[in-house]
Amino acid sequence: MEKEKPLILVSNDDGVMAKGIHELVKFLRPLGEIIVMAPDAPRSGSGCALTVTQPVHYQLVKKEVGLTVYKCSGTPTDCIKLARNTVLDRTPDLVVGGINHGDNSATNVHYSGTMGVVFEGCLNGIPSIGFSLCNHAPDADFEAAGPYIRSIAAMILEKGLPPLTCLNVNFPDTADIKGVKICEQAKGCWTNEWAACPRLNDPNYFWLTGEFTDHEPENEKNDHWALANGYVAITPTTVDVTAYHFMDELNKWFN
């Protein structure tokens, strides 16, 4: 490995063959040496899941100057753990997840395997960023996101991020991006989450689906509003889930 260049570890949850990860690599290549360790098939919605009931296997897919690609039988989080412990000879300068086909704004951040990649990097003290586009199509157009991805990644390579803090970056599905907004996570919930799909004379089969309800649709500070209005939404996200604001009150209950 060329140690004079930044080392960027890349993964996703749409699988190693997804267009989004290939576009991400294209955008990031000028910034350093790229190592990809991505799932061998889609693992969307896997969050921070780990494979604990069977061995995990990885395989070299491609190796060329400045780029090495592996596929892995595990989850996105497995990919980062496996790459760090078995493939890399030094700590990455940056961990990047994406580009996800579909946004990870609002509560989606908790379910996202793309953000599972980011959280794993962040938990290990590595500056980490997740990139997602509001388009689920396999052939989605990522070009408008490219300059933003490169500049954001370059900025974090230069400046770093605070401990236990990562970035969740979502792009609107438009060629005419208006700019960047630093956002809070939208408050809302998913409803109508299951669609019946009976089979074999059994009615108890369902596909996961749903509709997101934004509880603050007029809140111009949240990521959901930014995306709906054509802006890149950058949400600084912490992996410390302690409810500090509730600690004093809870102490009163037990003392």
Side-chain angles (χ1 to χ4, degrees):
M1 295 183 182
E2 301 177 24
K3 295 192 176 183
E4 67 275 12
K5 292 184 177 181
L7 178 61
I8 304 173
L9 176 58
V10 172
S11 192
N12 71 348
D13 69 0
D14 290 314
V16 71
M17 298 305 296
K19 181 179 179 181
I21 198 168
H22 290 274
E23 293 293 283
L24 178 61
V25 168
K26 179 181 75 176
F27 299 144
L28 293 178
R29 283 196 75 169
L31 301 181
E33 181 180 4
I34 311 296
I35 304 294
V36 175
M37 175 78 81
D40 55 13
R43 302 281 193 276
S44 294
S46 54
C48 295
L50 298 172
T51 302
V52 296
T53 59
Q54 61 191 32
V56 173
H57 174 262
Y58 77 86
Q59 180 180 344
L60 179 66
V61 175
K62 177 171 65 174
K63 186 175 179 62
E64 57 190 56
V65 175
L67 174 65
T68 306
V69 179
Y70 300 92
K71 62 181 180 180
C72 170
S73 66
T75 68
T77 301
D78 289 333
C79 289
I80 299 304
K81 286 184 176 293
L82 197 61
R84 288 183 56 249
N85 287 278
T86 67
V87 171
L88 303 183
D89 62 0
R90 59 184 169 116
T91 300
D93 298 288
L94 186 66
V95 168
V96 184
I99 307 167
N100 193 64
H101 292 247
D103 79 273
N104 282 312
S105 65
T107 57
N108 293 342
V109 68
H110 297 284
Y111 306 117
S112 166
T114 297
M115 289 306 293
V117 168
V118 177
F119 293 151
E120 180 62 24
C122 185
L123 286 167
N124 286 277
I126 305 166
S128 301
I129 315 168
F131 293 111
S132 305
L133 176 72
C134 296
N135 187 328
H136 290 273
D139 63 346
D141 184 354
F142 297 92
E143 281 302 312
Y148 291 93
I149 288 173
R150 190 175 294 122
S151 64
I152 292 167
M155 186 181 303
I156 301 309
L157 280 170
E158 176 187 354
K159 298 179 180 294
L161 287 168
L164 301 180
T165 302
C166 53
L167 296 185
N168 180 18
V169 182
N170 289 275
F171 294 94
D173 185 26
T174 177
D176 300 315
I177 294 174
K178 294 179 181 178
V180 170
K181 284 193 176 291
I182 307 304
C183 301
E184 60 189 46
Q185 178 184 316
K187 297 175 178 64
C189 65
W190 285 88
T191 58
N192 303 319
E193 294 184 86
W194 295 102
C197 54
R199 57 193 65 187
L200 303 175
N201 296 316
D202 186 340
N204 298 323
Y205 284 89
F206 294 83
W207 277 112
L208 184 65
T209 178
E211 302 162 0
F212 181 74
T213 301
D214 188 341
H215 292 166
E216 300 176 334
E218 303 306 316
N219 181 2
E220 298 185 10
K221 295 181 180 179
N222 77 35
D223 51 9
H224 203 250
W225 185 95
L227 293 168
N229 288 275
Y231 293 93
V232 180
I234 302 181
T235 306
T237 303
T238 177
V239 295
D240 180 352
V241 295
T242 307
Y244 291 101
H245 65 280
F246 187 51
M247 290 180 69
D248 288 343
E249 176 65 22
L250 195 58
N251 264 313
K252 295 176 185 176
W253 296 7
F254 292 93
N255 291 293

